[in-house]
Amino acid sequence: MPVPTQELKLEIVNAATGKTLGAKAASGADGALVARDFPDGGPSPERWQLTPVQAAQGDRAQDQQAYVIRNVAGGKVLDDPAAADHGVRQVAAVAGKKSQQWHVVPVDGEPGLYLIEGATDGAVLDLDDPAAADDSRVVLRAYDGNTESQRWRFVTAEPERTSDPVLRWAPLSHWNGRRSWRLARSAALRPAPGATPPFSDILLVLKRFGSDQAAGGWKSVGPVGQPGRWSGLGDRILADTTGTGRVDIVGLKPAKGPVAASGHGDGTFDDDERVLHQPGPSASPKDLWTLADTTGGGRPHAVVLAADGVRMFVQDEGGTFASAGNEPVLKAFGHGPQAGEWLADKHPRFLADTTGDGRLDIVGCHEDGVWISRQDEQGKFAPLADAPALRAFGHRAEAGGWLIDKHPRFLADTTGDGRLDIVGIHADGVWVSLQGEDGTFAEPLYVLDDFGVDQGWSSVAEHPRYLVGMAAGGTVDVVGFGPQGVVVARGRGDGTFEPAKLVLNDFGLAQGWIGGKHLRLVADVTGDGNPDIVGFGDEGVWVSRNRGDCRFEQAQLVCRGFGYHEDAGAWRVGHHPRFLTDITGDGRVDIVGFGGPGVYVARNLFRHFRTR
């Protein structure tokens, strides 16, 4: 587990004995420290906070971050009194006192375990007698790599969750037979006076595109399109199909091809489906599909990764998509042997503007490395070169042995120069290949020893990771949902990242979030420019708001729907897609989900709804 931020409350547990660090006397009094058992039904274990020490200017000895370790109950801090018995004590804090400063050092090859090292002499916390049946006195000793009692584990406290008021949709009948709805406060939660809910209750807005037979019997049967934002047969997505800025519903229908229901801009959609384009020649369930403005001209194009390569469907003035020709625009990146045998479960492909010229290029990670086809000013894609652009980030062992279900790869501008770099998270941590001014990629650099399988991040599904700027206008950061909660490594703007920090004790495996049951996303819910943490949990949708500078509030239940439990709708990952997107044009993301009966919407009401 990464070092937690100073706001999180922790239990500090000895790895050898399972006993928890605490004071021998009352928690708020000066005195010796021990490791003891805390049986169920007895007093709660003591909790601690790690407060970073600000290094003095020019102090080269503080290259490694030091912390003050503070007892939450009484405010006392760990201190090395240099006593003859080497015992560690808790005493009142003294600003700048070196004996009260500690380094937290990860144990190599043992994820989640740390040495707690004194900043004065490098001695580490240990137990005087690890085999003692009762309390074990905590002492300082010289580091010994074979001594398990010198290893410690941080266990975060249970998250302190709250619940926002819930609204219900009350039907209204009109003289002409039409029906509409108004928002009515629910009495279920007894909200605090003056509280305003950020989301409305969910409303079924379209009885199509659902998994029930009456709603079309939709289910995903094609390949998984992630991480390049591609969709397979049976998938349903949200996209602007007309270039007007309105969000439409799009589904990939067997035999019929992509069909859409136009959005009205108010959270509702047309009941009729319209076919966007006919399937291309030799359409296959293995095809991947996406919709994007590839030229920067303001009109979307349908892009298909077919058996024979990349096929393009261009939208004309009348809004109809037509094939760009009988031949693929690029005979590569396809799943057939004539196009390189790119497989969805092995070879991620991206449609992205790699150079900042406004035109989208195609980038793929194949067996032997990274291949790129750039788009020219005439809208043509260049044939692939004779060799990969970079012999790394590929599936074979000689290209790194990257696995799509364990090792996420991204394209992101990590330096602010307008060019996309390649970022990958392998078993040992984060690797970055910077793109130069001539469009070539440098050999990957190992920049961070976290977020990998070796550090406890077992898979992409169980521990989603994203590259996103967590502060408005800032560089991209690594954000992940790890075993103990939300972890962030801030980008430095030069292709490297600061050490990872555990910023929120929620949304992790330890708090009951499971990849096969719960979705976790990063999105700006409040409209302030800072991305928030969003999770579709058991009870519904939880949001932890970003307070700026990568500090987060405890999670709030903002919508009692779209959740795993029966009373929250019984939504299932893989069967019921859910999205955060602005469907009303007010600049704030709404919640859209494809359930059994059809399409459900919960409107974002943050800051512009007032209760009476």
Side-chain angles (χ1 to χ4, degrees):
M1 182 180 78
V3 176
T5 59
Q6 64 193 77
E7 296 180 353
L8 297 186
K9 301 171 185 177
L10 312 162
E11 296 172 17
I12 302 178
V13 180
N14 188 267
T17 65
K19 296 181 178 181
T20 304
L21 179 68
K24 186 173 183 178
S27 59
D30 289 359
L33 292 174
V34 296
R36 60 159 64 104
D37 290 320
F38 287 87
D40 293 341
S44 298
E46 292 176 55
R47 294 175 178 176
W48 306 83
Q49 288 176 305
L50 305 184
T51 304
V53 176
Q54 186 69 34
Q57 188 172 2
D59 186 359
R60 297 181 60 85
Q62 290 249 7
D63 289 343
Q64 185 177 3
Q65 177 66 64
Y67 297 88
V68 171
I69 302 178
R70 189 181 310 274
N71 194 321
V72 173
K76 303 293 183 178
V77 302
L78 261 67
D79 184 86
D80 171 15
D85 63 357
H86 304 290
V88 179
R89 302 173 63 82
Q90 68 169 19
V91 300
V94 178
K97 188 177 180 182
K98 205 74 171 178
S99 64
Q100 295 180 355
Q101 298 178 14
W102 306 85
H103 297 147
V104 179
V105 183
V107 178
D108 289 340
E110 299 186 57
L113 296 184
Y114 293 87
L115 305 173
I116 301 177
E117 177 187 79
T120 53
D121 57 6
V124 299
L125 256 61
D126 198 351
L127 300 183
D128 185 39
D129 182 10
D134 299 320
D135 298 351
S136 302
R137 195 165 60 93
V138 177
V139 298
L140 280 170
R141 288 201 177 105
Y143 168 67
D144 182 351
N146 296 318
T147 303
E148 189 179 3
S149 58
Q150 294 181 355
R151 296 164 170 81
W152 301 82
R153 177 180 292 107
F154 297 128
V155 179
T156 54
E158 288 295 316
E160 299 171 2
R161 295 169 176 163
T162 61
S163 183
D164 272 4
V166 166
L167 297 184
R168 300 295 178 190
W169 288 96
L172 293 175
S173 298
H174 297 266
W175 64 271
N176 58 4
R178 293 185 58 198
R179 299 195 73 191
S180 61
W181 291 263
R182 65 177 174 84
L183 289 170
R185 182 184 284 275
S186 167
L189 291 178
R190 300 186 184 88
T196 57
F199 283 91
S200 72
D201 192 28
I202 66 173
L203 178 67
L204 179 63
V205 298
L206 184 63
K207 294 181 179 180
R208 289 181 181 271
F209 297 98
S211 57
D212 293 350
Q213 287 301 314
W218 286 78
K219 62 179 179 179
S220 298
V221 296
V224 177
Q226 298 291 345
R229 299 299 186 265
W230 302 91
S231 300
L233 196 63
D235 284 347
R236 288 140 288 164
I237 62 172
L238 299 168
D240 177 9
T241 66
T242 60
T244 61
R246 290 183 176 178
V247 175
D248 308 317
I249 294 172
V250 180
L252 300 182
K253 211 165 194 177
K256 202 170 185 179
V259 298
S262 298
H264 298 155
D266 60 357
T268 63
F269 301 87
D270 278 349
D271 188 54
D272 296 330
E273 296 176 0
R274 56 186 173 89
V275 177
L276 294 184
H277 65 77
Q278 295 298 324
S282 303
S284 166
K286 295 182 180 180
D287 292 351
L288 294 176
W289 187 94
T290 194
L291 199 69
D293 178 8
T294 64
T295 61
R299 289 187 175 276
H301 305 124
V303 184
V304 181
L305 302 179
D308 53 359
V310 180
R311 289 190 169 270
M312 191 86 70
F313 296 84
V314 182
Q315 190 180 59
D316 60 22
E317 294 294 333
T320 302
F321 288 85
S323 176
N326 293 326
E327 294 293 321
V329 297
L330 181 65
K331 294 182 178 180
F333 298 107
H335 53 82
Q338 68 272 38
E341 291 188 295
W342 292 72
L343 305 178
D345 60 351
K346 287 186 176 182
H347 311 130
R349 284 151 284 178
F350 305 87
L351 197 60
D353 178 8
T354 63
T355 60
D357 61 2
R359 295 182 294 273
L360 300 186
D361 312 305
I362 304 177
V363 181
C365 301
H366 205 262
E367 296 287 325
D368 51 358
V370 180
W371 294 81
I372 299 176
S373 172
R374 291 195 167 96
Q375 186 182 177
D376 63 21
E377 295 179 357
Q378 286 72 44
K380 295 182 179 180
F381 290 92
L384 295 189
D386 294 332
L390 184 66
R391 293 190 181 276
F393 300 104
H395 183 75
R396 287 187 196 144
E398 58 266 29
W402 292 75
L403 305 177
I404 205 165
D405 61 335
K406 293 183 179 296
H407 310 136
R409 282 153 280 182
F410 309 89
L411 297 177
D413 181 6
T414 65
T415 62
D417 61 3
R419 296 184 295 271
L420 298 185
D421 310 304
I422 303 172
V423 182
I425 305 177
H426 208 282
D428 54 357
V430 182
W431 293 77
V432 175
S433 173
L434 299 178
Q435 184 182 177
E437 294 182 0
D438 59 354
T440 61
F441 288 90
E443 285 298 310
L445 295 174
Y446 181 56
V447 298
L448 187 64
D449 57 345
D450 214 325
F451 297 100
V453 175
D454 292 350
Q455 293 88 28
W457 301 69
S458 59
S459 69
V460 171
E462 199 62 64
H463 301 295
R465 281 145 281 178
Y466 302 94
L467 251 64
V468 62
M470 295 305 290
T475 185
V476 294
D477 311 308
V478 183
V479 183
F481 297 89
Q484 292 291 333
V486 181
V487 179
V488 175
R490 303 298 300 272
R492 294 191 174 112
D494 59 359
T496 66
F497 298 89
E498 296 177 2
K501 299 283 187 181
L502 180 69
V503 299
L504 184 64
N505 60 327
D506 208 341
F507 300 101
L509 195 62
Q511 295 85 29
W513 293 80
I514 301 171
K517 296 171 62 175
H518 308 126
L519 298 177
R520 287 155 289 175
L521 306 170
V522 179
D524 180 10
V525 170
T526 62
D528 63 357
N530 293 318
D532 309 298
I533 305 298
V534 184
F536 293 80
D538 289 330
E539 306 88 349
V541 183
W542 294 85
V543 171
S544 176
R545 292 174 183 153
N546 188 339
R547 296 184 293 173
D549 196 28
C550 230
R551 295 175 299 121
F552 293 87
E553 297 177 1
Q554 291 293 330
Q556 291 181 307
L557 181 64
V558 300
C559 182
R560 288 186 179 272
F562 304 106
Y564 186 84
H565 284 168
E566 290 293 329
D567 56 0
W571 294 71
R572 297 293 182 259
V573 172
H575 292 281
H576 306 130
R578 284 153 283 178
F579 300 91
L580 297 169
T581 190
D582 179 12
I583 60 173
T584 62
D586 63 1
R588 300 178 183 90
V589 294
D590 308 292
I591 307 172
V592 182
F594 296 86
V599 182
Y600 289 86
V601 168
R603 295 276 302 276
N604 190 333
L605 307 174
F606 189 79
R607 286 185 179 170
H608 62 84
F609 177 82
R610 296 291 181 267
T611 55
R612 295 182 179 178

